[in-house]
Amino acid sequence: MEYLSLLGIVVIVLGFALGLDTIAVVVISALVTALVSGIDFTSFLTILGKGFMDNRMVSLFFLTLPTIGILERHGLKQAAVNLIKKMKKLTPGRIFDIYQAIREIAGAFGISLQGHVQFIAPLINPMAQAAGKVNSELTPLEVDQIKGRAAATENFGNFFAQNLFVASSSVLLIASTMKSLGHPVDPSGIVLYTFPVAIISYILCLFYNHAFDQKLMKNKEK
């Protein structure tokens, strides 16, 4: 009888192999597993509902993809490009400077921007490319370099600023882990030592972005 509880896996394999709806396959698989395990239908719905409610904040992430897709379809990228074209003095590097500053300040207040999907792809990267095209067209290599730099800016801002908020999950994880190892630390102390690291990383990125702009200008002069 114990092997009957594995029927849910069989349902998943067959469902995916036949190309059926993913959510429907998973729900049916869970239902089959519950029924063969002696769980009645009412209890199954209770467990399913509780699981959804306990993890509903995690599922909100999946709403961002179709939302950003709809915004892009209705001209979000073009609106960003048009805005940057009106600001002649903005360069790709300066846009990255501004975004990283916003990213780190938001992190200090516990605001997570979740950048790559919500900001980098639909806004920062198109804006940086538009700024780079003000005087002349970009080469394919320069376009790729701007894309990479945009992604790197998000990574720098997130990695070095994620511990600036005392109640962030990363700070609490560090504090709890150190305590379990017999080295209790104060969460506020973690934040205190994170500030200079975040500032130093931002200053280094300022120099790097300036060098990146100078390289683009030299390429255009050639």
Side-chain angles (χ1 to χ4, degrees), residues 3 43 64 80 97 117 121 161 166 200 218:
Y3 290 104
S43 299
T64 60
D97 293 341
V117 175
V166 69
I200 292 171
K218 289 181 180 179

Side-chain angles (χ1 to χ4, degrees), residues 109-127:
F109 287 95
I111 302 173
S112 179
L113 299 179
Q114 300 290 346
H116 283 293
V117 175
Q118 292 87 341
F119 285 90
I120 298 301
L123 286 174
I124 304 303
N125 176 47
M127 291 168 69

Side-chain angles (χ1 to χ4, degrees), residues 38-221:
I39 300 175
D40 60 81
F41 185 71
T42 303
S43 299
F44 165 74
L45 292 179
T46 302
I47 296 172
L48 185 66
K50 185 178 184 301
F52 174 78
M53 292 301 295
D54 290 343
N55 299 279
R56 62 188 183 278
M57 296 303 296
V58 177
S59 63
L60 288 177
F61 167 76
F62 298 103
L63 296 177
T64 60
L65 297 178
T67 301
I68 294 299
I70 293 172
L71 291 174
E72 289 189 9
R73 183 176 181 181
H74 286 81
L76 177 63
K77 279 188 177 181
Q78 192 58 44
V81 169
N82 293 338
L83 175 64
I84 294 303
K85 286 182 177 178
K86 296 177 182 179
M87 302 178 182
K88 304 296 183 180
K89 294 184 178 181
L90 273 181
T91 63
R94 290 173 183 171
I95 291 175
F96 298 147
D97 293 341
I98 295 171
Y99 177 73
Q100 186 170 344
I102 294 174
R103 191 72 169 86
E104 294 197 3
I105 292 173
F109 287 95
I111 302 173
S112 179
L113 299 179
Q114 300 290 346
H116 283 293
V117 175
Q118 292 87 341
F119 285 90
I120 298 301
L123 286 174
I124 304 303
N125 176 47
M127 291 168 69
Q129 290 192 34
K133 293 178 181 178
V134 170
N135 296 320
S136 63
E137 288 296 318
L138 297 170
T139 65
L141 176 59
E142 290 172 340
V143 170
D144 288 339
Q145 289 175 338
I146 289 177
K147 289 180 180 179
R149 188 60 204 163
T153 299
E154 162 60 24
N155 291 339
F156 285 133
N158 177 46
F159 185 82
F160 292 105
Q162 61 181 323
N163 294 336
L164 290 177
F165 184 58
V166 69
S168 67
S169 58
S170 55
V171 170
L172 298 178
L173 176 61
I174 293 172
S176 62
T177 301
M178 294 299 292
K179 182 178 179 180
S180 67
L181 295 174
H183 304 283
V185 295
D186 186 8
S188 60
I190 298 174
V191 174
L192 181 63
Y193 285 106
T194 300
F195 265 103
V197 175
I199 293 173
I200 292 171
S201 68
Y202 182 72
I203 293 174
L204 291 176
C205 286
L206 286 178
F207 284 108
Y208 186 90
N209 291 334
H210 178 72
F212 182 71
D213 284 340
Q214 294 298 316
K215 182 179 179 181
L216 287 179
M217 291 179 61
K218 289 181 180 179
N219 291 339
K220 291 179 180 179
E221 291 174 357

